[in-house]
Amino acid sequence: MAKGITRERIVAAALELLDEKGMEGITVRALAARLDVQAPALYWHVRNKQELLDEMSTVVMRRVTDALSALPPGAGWRDDLAAYARVLRSEYLLHRDGARVFSGTRISDPDVVRAKEPWLARLTAAGFTLADADDATDLVTAFVVGFVIEEQERGQSAETDPGRYSLPERDAWLGEDVELVKAAGHLRDDGDQRFERHLGIVLDGLAARLGSSRP
């Protein structure tokens, strides 16, 4: 076993590599070079790339649960889920390709998974069935992942090609007789405003679901 190499050091180095190179830059060879070890030394701590991604995701989700535990409880389930969505987005945005890398991973720390218990308790106390409460958290998570993937991909594409999303060029490319399509393109916004608006639509849907399930 390489002296001084720990799972924590490997994960920290992998997150640094992610920020510098993106998802495609996370390779065993690149990680070993950063840590100044031979690649086989890493396999004492992580068996493969998927396990490494799981560990990276666990670090991020541990930060999410820590941030949420520091917040006072919201006025109700809607405030709680909105807070979760905002914290999750914020943590994903801290890393290049954040949402894309961490989606589909498995949490390796049981304490992070156990932190879901009070959330499910508050949702069920508000009237959700356990199945609907679990679906609600999964739905909000999926919304944040999808939103941030698109957000990060557009931002990174615009950095390398500033004219990629030019509206005048798009309008000319579309031609005539699609005025609604053109107008919709000019209405598009990015960032916090768009996130909050779309999150509100998701939460409205959950509220309607909750209302329809009550006698």
Side-chain angles (χ1 to χ4, degrees), residues 13-188:
L15 288 170
E16 292 174 359
L17 195 61
L18 172 65
D19 293 339
E20 293 175 14
K21 305 292 186 180
M23 185 172 182
E24 285 72 21
I26 302 175
T27 66
V28 173
R29 177 178 295 180
L31 188 55
R34 177 171 290 266
L35 291 166
D36 195 26
V37 297
Q38 297 298 312
L42 301 180
Y43 294 120
W44 283 94
H45 304 280
V46 289
R47 291 174 296 179
N48 49 49
K49 184 173 179 178
Q50 185 57 63
E51 187 170 301
L52 174 62
L53 294 177
D54 289 345
E55 292 298 328
M56 293 164 67
S57 181
T58 298
V59 168
V60 171
M61 288 308 299
R62 190 179 293 119
R63 294 202 305 251
V64 170
T65 57
D66 288 347
L68 289 172
S69 66
L71 295 175
W77 67 266
R78 187 175 180 121
D79 284 353
D80 288 339
L81 284 178
Y84 166 65
R86 290 168 188 142
V87 170
L88 186 61
R89 174 178 176 241
S90 176
E91 289 295 337
Y92 281 158
L93 287 174
L94 287 177
H95 298 287
R96 180 176 173 181
D97 294 337
R100 189 157 68 97
V101 168
F102 300 131
S103 61
T105 52
R106 184 180 66 179
I107 303 302
S108 63
D109 181 354
D111 285 340
V112 175
V113 181
R114 287 171 60 85
K116 193 175 181 180
E117 182 75 11
W119 288 84
L120 292 175
R122 288 203 290 271
L123 287 169
T124 53
F128 287 91
T129 66
L130 180 57
D132 282 348
D134 195 45
D135 281 347
T137 54
D138 283 351
L139 180 62
V140 170
T141 301
F143 159 69
V144 175
V145 169
F147 188 96
V148 176
I149 286 175
E150 176 69 10
E151 187 174 24
Q152 291 185 314
E153 291 292 341
R154 283 178 65 89
Q156 290 166 19
S157 295
E159 284 181 6
T160 57
D161 180 6
R164 179 174 174 82
Y165 301 110
S166 166
L167 289 173
E169 290 183 15
R170 180 178 184 270
D171 289 347
W173 173 72
L174 285 170
E176 303 301 324
D177 302 324
V178 285
E179 298 310 311
L180 293 177
V181 176
K182 292 180 182 179
H186 285 267
L187 289 174
R188 182 186 173 99

